[in-house]
């Protein structure tokens, strides 16, 4: 097939382009801006567009499929041309389903924890020697790309995102996948710019359950009241679904001398993951991996060297007196869980937590009260947002004093220019301190190890 990508530079989009090229398809693409690492990876594969921008002349009748990224606008000139020619236009989740329709589909959904849970399932399957296709939202050790599609693998494991599919398709991405096995890790309102009300947000998870294949298995977090409500009400109203519900709870664990051990009866298994939220994710992954053919013994053995997904409580520096983590946490539930996890593992250390408000939701005055108490586990806390970034997003300014009050932390400072935050962090003692930097952005390009005077290990 000849396949053209509109907005090829996105994280999922460029990975899909790479795997489709590997599969033997002829791939082309366009984008108006392409950042690293997408730029280098596309260039190495010969897929980097010669020029940035949109070129409708690239869209010809010979193209078999156009894959439209969320970054593109509805008035994109290449999209307009493709529709004039009557070419098939897919969102990337729609095309992933097209390529995996004959496979057993395991889909991990939820407001938080889905990347880590998906990564654990894949790691366990790889350990057990089980071949699988996959789509995951971050880089993980042992896997070359974030997307793999083959003709041979009988199974595909998919991180199911509730965000919108494309400018043409306003459905949640995970509604395309029609799972045989689905996981719901948690429900906490996010993407306020896309789901203006809580009911609109929770309804997408109702629709996910309704999209399950007949006889599907639904693995859900029984410790999350909203998940329980959505699952139980939906299944009660739709007995025709014939779904097998399997509730799970946080896996028993213990911490001894700074090390985490899974507890399974009289047995103990060492793991590198930590935090109650990750022990919950691990329970979900164990149940899903069993559905994929992984034995419990293999699953527990595989977790001993599971390092997590990139940017998910990723350790940048670990010496006896100083530890530095970075994390993708940005929504309130994620921030709360991440800060609590670090404090639980290091109860005798000073925890310094820094959060960058970067998304439309996190910078929305109506949404910010959701962050109240989320940094409670930190001894010192900083919140950073850029007035310039807010101007680009066309969002009204926020008063730093008001923002600090909404977080309700006695030792929290709000910074609105990055140099001021850098100075504040540099002034802190590094000994006997754990630093946690949480953001879905880039901190304006800050290298926090360099700011702290530490060398990356």
């Amino acid at each position: 097939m000849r396949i053209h990508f509109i907005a090829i530079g996105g994280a999922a989009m460029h990975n899909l382009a790479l795997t489709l090229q590997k599969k033997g398809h002829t791939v082309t693409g366009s984008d108006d801006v392409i950042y690293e690492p997408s730029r280098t990876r596309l260039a190495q594969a010969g897929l980097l567009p010669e020029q940035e921008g949109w070129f409708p002349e690239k869209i010809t009748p010979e193209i078999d499929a156009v894959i439209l990224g969320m970054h593109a606008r509805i008035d994109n000139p290449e999209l307009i041309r493709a529709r004039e020619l009557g070419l098939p236009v897919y969102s990337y989740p729609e095309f992933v389903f097209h390529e995996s329709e004959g496979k057993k589909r395991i889909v991990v959904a939820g407001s938080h924890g889905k990347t880590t849970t998906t990564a654990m399932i894949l790691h366990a399957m790889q350990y057990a020697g089980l071949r699988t296709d996959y789509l995951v939202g971050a880089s993980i050790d042992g896997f070359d790309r974030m997307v793999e599609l083959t003709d041979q693998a009988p199974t595909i494991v998919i991180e199911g995102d509730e965000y919108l599919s494309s400018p043409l398709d306003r459905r949640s991405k995970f509604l395309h996948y029609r799972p045989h096995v689905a996981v719901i890790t948690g429900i906490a309102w996010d993407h306020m710019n896309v789901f203006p009300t809580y009911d609109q947000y929770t309804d997408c998870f109702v629709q996910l359950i309704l999209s399950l294949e007949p006889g599907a298995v639904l693995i859900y977090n029984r410790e999350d009241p909203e998940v329980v409500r959505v699952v139980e009400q939906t299944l009660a109203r739709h007995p025709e679904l014939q779904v097998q519900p399997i509730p799970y709870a946080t896996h028993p664990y213990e911490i001894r001398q700074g090390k985490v051990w899974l507890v399974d009866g009289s047995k103990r298994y060492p793991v590198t993951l930590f935090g109650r939220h990750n022990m919950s994710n691990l329970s979900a992954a164990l149940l899903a991996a069993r559905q994929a053919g992984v034995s419990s013994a293999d699953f527990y053995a595989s977790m001993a060297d599971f390092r997590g997904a990139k940017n998910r409580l990723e350790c940048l520096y670990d010496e006896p007196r100083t530890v530095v983590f970075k994390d993708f946490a940005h929504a309130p539930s994620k921030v709360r869980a991440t800060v609590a996890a670090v404090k639980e593992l290091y109860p005798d250390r000073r925890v310094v937590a820094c959060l960058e408000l970067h998304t439309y939701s996190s910078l929305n005055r109506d949404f910010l009260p959701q962050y109240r108490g989320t940094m409670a586990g930190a001894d010192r806390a900083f919140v950073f947002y850029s007035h310039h970034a807010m101007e680009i997003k066309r969002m009204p300014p926020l008063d730093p004093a008001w923002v600090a009050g909404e977080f309700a932390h006695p030792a929290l400072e709000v910074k609105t220019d990055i140099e001021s935050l850098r100075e504040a962090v540099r002034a802190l003692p590094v000994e006997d301190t754990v630093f946690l930097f949480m953001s879905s952005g880039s901190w304006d390009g800050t290298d926090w190890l360099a700011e702290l005077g530490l060398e990356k290990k």
Side-chain angles (χ1 to χ4, degrees), residues 8-11 14-15 34-43 48:
I8 196 171
H14 92 272
N15 275 280
I34 301 177
Y35 298 106
E36 295 293 355
S38 303
R39 172 173 290 275
T40 295
R41 299 184 76 209
L42 288 170
L48 184 67

Side-chain angles (χ1 to χ4, degrees), residues 390-407:
M390 295 188 70
E391 290 172 1
I392 293 174
K393 287 181 166 67
R394 299 180 181 178
M395 303 191 74
L398 294 170
D399 176 18
W402 178 83
V403 172
E406 291 306 304
F407 275 85

Side-chain angles (χ1 to χ4, degrees), residues 354-357 363 382-390 398-400 413-426 442-446 448 451:
C354 301
L355 170 66
E356 179 179 15
L357 300 180
L363 292 168
F382 296 92
V383 170
F384 165 72
Y385 60 93
S386 164
H387 286 306
H388 177 64
M390 295 188 70
L398 294 170
D399 176 18
E413 299 178 44
V414 175
K415 304 291 185 182
T416 58
D417 68 278
I418 194 63
E419 187 52 42
S420 175
L421 176 61
R422 290 168 180 162
E423 289 178 3
V425 171
R426 285 196 299 264
S442 67
W443 299 102
D444 286 356
T446 301
W448 286 116
E451 296 295 330

Side-chain angles (χ1 to χ4, degrees), residues 108-126:
V108 180
S111 306
H112 43 74
K114 52 185 175 284
T115 301
T116 298
T117 304
T118 305
M120 281 192 278
I121 298 167
L122 293 173
H123 186 79
M125 292 184 72
Q126 186 181 68

Side-chain angles (χ1 to χ4, degrees), residues 237-359:
R237 291 169 181 168
H238 298 277
E240 74 279 3
L241 293 176
Q242 302 176 20
V243 168
Q244 178 189 352
I246 303 178
Y248 70 89
T250 300
H251 198 291
Y253 69 101
E254 59 186 28
I255 300 174
R256 296 187 310 209
Q257 297 180 332
K259 303 295 182 182
V260 182
W261 299 78
L262 297 178
V263 178
D264 181 32
S266 61
K267 297 179 181 178
R268 301 291 186 272
Y269 301 94
V271 290
T272 57
L273 285 178
F274 64 93
R276 182 177 176 83
H277 68 299
N278 275 329
M279 298 302 105
S280 177
N281 296 334
L282 188 143
S283 277
L286 170 60
L287 292 169
R290 284 175 180 165
Q291 295 292 324
V294 179
S295 69
S296 296
D298 277 347
F299 181 86
Y300 285 125
S302 73
M303 289 299 102
D305 65 351
F306 176 70
R307 302 296 175 186
K310 186 174 178 60
N311 292 326
R312 272 62 176 184
L313 269 177
E314 182 179 351
C315 186
L316 302 180
Y317 188 90
D318 187 1
E319 289 296 320
R321 305 291 294 274
T322 307
V323 184
V324 182
F325 290 101
K326 68 174 178 176
D327 192 80
F328 192 68
H330 52 89
S333 60
K334 300 171 186 175
V335 173
R336 186 187 304 275
T338 299
V339 173
V342 170
K343 191 60 179 179
E344 181 186 36
L345 189 64
Y346 300 96
D348 301 323
R349 301 278 190 94
R350 180 190 308 108
V351 172
V352 176
C354 301
L355 170 66
E356 179 179 15
L357 300 180
H358 176 74
T359 65

Side-chain angles (χ1 to χ4, degrees), residues 57-71:
E57 62 271 19
K58 289 184 176 182
I59 310 301
T60 66
E62 290 74 31
I63 291 175
D64 298 298
V66 173
I67 301 179
L68 177 64
M70 194 63 206
H71 167 64

Side-chain angles (χ1 to χ4, degrees), residues 4-8 13 28-31 54 59 66-70 72 76 78-79 82:
H4 182 79
F5 283 73
I6 300 177
I8 196 171
M13 289 284 281
T28 56
S30 300
D31 213 323
W54 311 113
I59 310 301
V66 173
I67 301 179
L68 177 64
M70 194 63 206
N76 184 283
E78 294 188 9
L79 174 59

